Amino acid sequence: MTDTGSDDGAVVPEPVTDGGGPSPSTDATDGGDAGAGEGRTILLIGSGPIQIGQAAEFDYSGAQACRALQEEGAEVVLVNSNPATIMTDPETADRVYVEPITPEAIAEVIRKEQPDGVIAGLGGQTGLNVTAELAEQGVLEEHDVEIMGTPLDTIYATEDRDLFRQRMEDLGQPMPKSTTVTLDEGESATEMGEAELKERVEDAVDEVGGLPVIARTTYTLGGSGSGVVHEMDELLERTRKGLRLSRNDEVLITESISGWVELEYEVMRDAGDSCIIICNMENLDPMGIHTGESTVVTPSQVIPDDGHQEMRDAALEVIRDLGIQGGCNIQFAWRDDGTPGGEYRVVEVNPRVSRSSALASKATGYPIARVTAKVALGKRLHEIDNEITGETTAAFEPAIDYVVTKVPRWPIDKFPETDFTLSTAMKSTGEAMSIGRTFEESLLKALRSSEYDPAVEFDALEDEELREGYLERPSPDRPYAMFEAFERGFSVEEVVEATGIYEWYVERFARIVDASQEVVDGEFTPAAVAGFTNAEISALAGNVFED
């Protein structure tokens, strides 16, 4: 920061660029009023340094939003501490501040720029947290800065677990039983005695029906301090860590729905209450694993239509009740209880663009961050052209007649000693996405694109070691262990029991192995249909194909 010598001695940040970005557009590229942001200065808060749980997806969203705001005639002031991002390029915004994403730094930017509004939901959890702190400190009110898009009360209602639970109960939406462990005023998680902590945690466990439970920490990034816990000693350790990490000194203890199918519905709503489902995404790994760690498929493959319609209706009801404006996602857990639609629970709502939003945008061709930015300016969905299709507006739900699969990428080469057992806290640092005509084709493309080699020699393992160490334990090696199991003659039922993965997906892994074995017998069509490359088929057949 640069000291400008102001009377109060404040240190005022200097922008990297001052008017160096593209001139605000006065063309009405979208329908409706020409330039919903004309004459307005908008502050956009980025996500800060790239780290686990907050990676390049937010740079993708932020850069989209800057462009969308300028299309509407707004002057964009961007604050982000990472100079390696696209959004901090001098051409992306009218003025760019490379400063820490802290209330103090952003308050100084506000005092200097006097923006009309701030958009917080495009910088991940960091943007939401800082905006909430600025509002609580009175900085936004003092400078007459409007929180654009999703209101602050909605942010609180989704981040505060008790408030969120009450809202869902009022709607009649089913949620897992839960309670909170909190610090009293003046208490410290570090200094709290073991006996006092144990008493509070044991009371919480009894309230939700006993172990196992899920411990979740509010106002944290990428699931830090969270996880499925089976033992009391581990829960005590996680709770103490969670209380240290949580901005509001709170850890949520929830009944375990581990093993249920996990889904997300990506939803968009404007201020006029137009609301659409962009897509739903289904985790291959069961509940208990962070969605950023799991293989994700869209559209869902195993949920019956009755169940899908119930959760779709629930997602629309929830986003409307919360008053979210822009993109968000709502997470569900589902299981087959013998009824036509199955049974579901509402898990949580992210009132912002997320990692999953970037995946949904790329999978469907619906520009979520761009539309969210324009909705924050007050535009309605039917007034926003979908520049991807060139023919429809943002009020049209995408139609997907293909299968998209995302697999995580793992920094095992950089951190070889790290335990990469998957849990509700993130360790992956990227992802690979693929599109195919079938799940099998899409999965094989994604696995190839991830450029990951299993960190184990499967040939050296006995069957029991394979089962306990690589099928039962969720890890980056498990998809490859499933292939290995079927090559050894394991049944679908045995692999389902060991992994907890839904039978439909396990059957597709078995089909891939069956197709590879048919190549050895001289039948190439099943492997080609499954998505094997010519080179892979050649290697399996022991010969080289001519182009």
Side-chain angles (χ1 to χ4, degrees), residues 375-412:
V375 165
L377 290 175
K379 299 200 79 172
R380 304 301 193 252
L381 295 180
H382 69 273
E383 297 175 334
I384 304 171
D385 287 342
N386 185 330
E387 64 177 2
I388 304 299
T389 65
E391 296 179 355
T392 60
T393 70
F396 281 74
E397 294 188 348
I400 306 176
D401 59 356
Y402 45 84
V403 180
V404 176
T405 302
K406 178 223 80 175
V407 298
R409 297 195 64 178
W410 307 93
I412 289 180

Side-chain angles (χ1 to χ4, degrees), residues 200-386:
R200 295 189 195 182
V201 172
E202 286 180 343
D203 288 346
V205 171
D206 289 341
E207 192 170 336
V208 301
L211 294 169
V213 298
I214 298 176
R216 295 182 184 273
T217 308
T218 58
Y219 289 101
T220 60
L221 180 65
S224 298
S226 303
V228 180
V229 185
H230 297 265
E231 303 293 336
M232 182 57 69
D233 289 344
E234 181 186 354
L235 181 58
L236 292 171
E237 181 181 345
R238 281 188 180 271
T239 303
R240 190 181 294 278
K241 177 181 178 182
L243 290 171
R244 288 200 306 266
L245 291 172
S246 174
R247 190 170 72 85
N248 63 344
D249 302 325
E250 179 179 291
V251 172
L252 181 74
I253 306 298
T254 308
E255 72 167 316
S256 176
I257 45 178
S258 181
W260 293 35
V261 176
E262 183 173 359
L263 300 103
E264 293 182 83
Y265 281 71
E266 201 72 27
V267 193
M268 179 68 67
R269 178 180 177 270
D270 65 22
D273 203 33
S274 292
C275 194
I276 67 168
I277 301 291
I278 297 166
C279 69
N280 74 340
M281 293 167 281
E282 186 173 83
N283 287 15
L284 185 145
D285 294 298
M287 284 292 300
I289 295 174
H290 193 288
T291 190
E293 307 288 77
S294 182
T295 298
V296 177
V297 182
T298 185
S300 62
Q301 303 295 306
V302 305
I303 305 302
D305 187 60
D306 286 348
H308 167 61
Q309 296 302 330
E310 288 177 7
M311 286 182 281
R312 172 192 166 84
D313 291 344
L316 295 175
E317 181 180 42
V318 168
I319 191 175
R320 283 180 165 135
D321 179 77
L322 292 172
I324 291 171
Q325 296 177 33
C328 81
N329 70 38
I330 176 169
Q331 297 179 20
F332 293 96
W334 177 91
R335 69 173 176 179
D336 183 359
D337 65 349
T339 62
E343 181 181 15
Y344 75 86
R345 299 281 189 272
V346 177
V347 178
E348 66 178 6
V349 172
N350 286 315
R352 56 176 172 84
V353 172
S354 68
R355 289 171 58 94
S356 299
S357 303
L359 172 63
S361 289
K362 296 166 188 173
T364 64
Y366 189 101
I368 294 173
R370 178 176 183 269
V371 175
T372 295
K374 298 201 175 197
V375 165
L377 290 175
K379 299 200 79 172
R380 304 301 193 252
L381 295 180
H382 69 273
E383 297 175 334
I384 304 171
D385 287 342
N386 185 330

Side-chain angles (χ1 to χ4, degrees), residues 83-228:
T85 57
I86 295 172
M87 72 165 71
T88 49
D89 187 280
E91 298 300 315
T92 301
D94 295 279
R95 284 182 294 285
V96 176
Y97 289 85
V98 181
E99 300 291 345
I101 308 297
T102 63
E104 296 76 20
I106 294 175
E108 291 300 328
V109 173
I110 289 173
R111 293 186 182 103
K112 180 173 182 179
E113 294 289 346
Q114 294 296 309
D116 298 289
V118 57
I119 297 180
L122 293 161
Q125 193 62 49
T126 300
L128 286 185
N129 287 352
V130 170
T131 301
E133 290 183 55
L134 289 169
E136 291 161 6
Q137 294 170 8
V139 174
L140 301 184
E141 183 178 4
E142 177 187 350
H143 295 276
D144 196 24
V145 180
E146 174 191 0
I147 295 178
M148 306 183 72
T150 297
L152 189 62
D153 286 346
T154 296
I155 296 173
Y156 288 142
T158 55
E159 294 293 343
D160 186 302
R161 302 291 180 174
D162 286 336
L163 285 176
F164 182 65
R165 172 171 293 278
Q166 187 60 54
R167 295 287 284 267
M168 295 303 100
E169 289 177 354
D170 291 345
L171 288 175
Q173 290 295 339
M175 289 191 68
K177 291 183 292 185
S178 70
T179 187
T180 56
V181 177
T182 60
L183 293 176
D184 295 332
E185 186 175 352
E187 277 190 317
S188 165
T190 304
E191 297 174 359
M192 180 184 288
E194 289 295 328
E196 175 65 20
L197 178 64
K198 185 175 182 179
E199 181 181 355
R200 295 189 195 182
V201 172
E202 286 180 343
D203 288 346
V205 171
D206 289 341
E207 192 170 336
V208 301
L211 294 169
V213 298
I214 298 176
R216 295 182 184 273
T217 308
T218 58
Y219 289 101
T220 60
L221 180 65
S224 298
S226 303
V228 180

Side-chain angles (χ1 to χ4, degrees), residues 420-443:
F420 280 93
T421 299
L422 311 188
S423 67
T424 56
M426 286 192 63
K427 300 183 185 75
S428 61
T429 54
E431 57 196 34
M433 187 197 90
S434 68
I435 297 174
R437 291 160 294 186
T438 64
F439 168 72
E440 294 94 313
E441 179 185 358
S442 183
L443 173 67

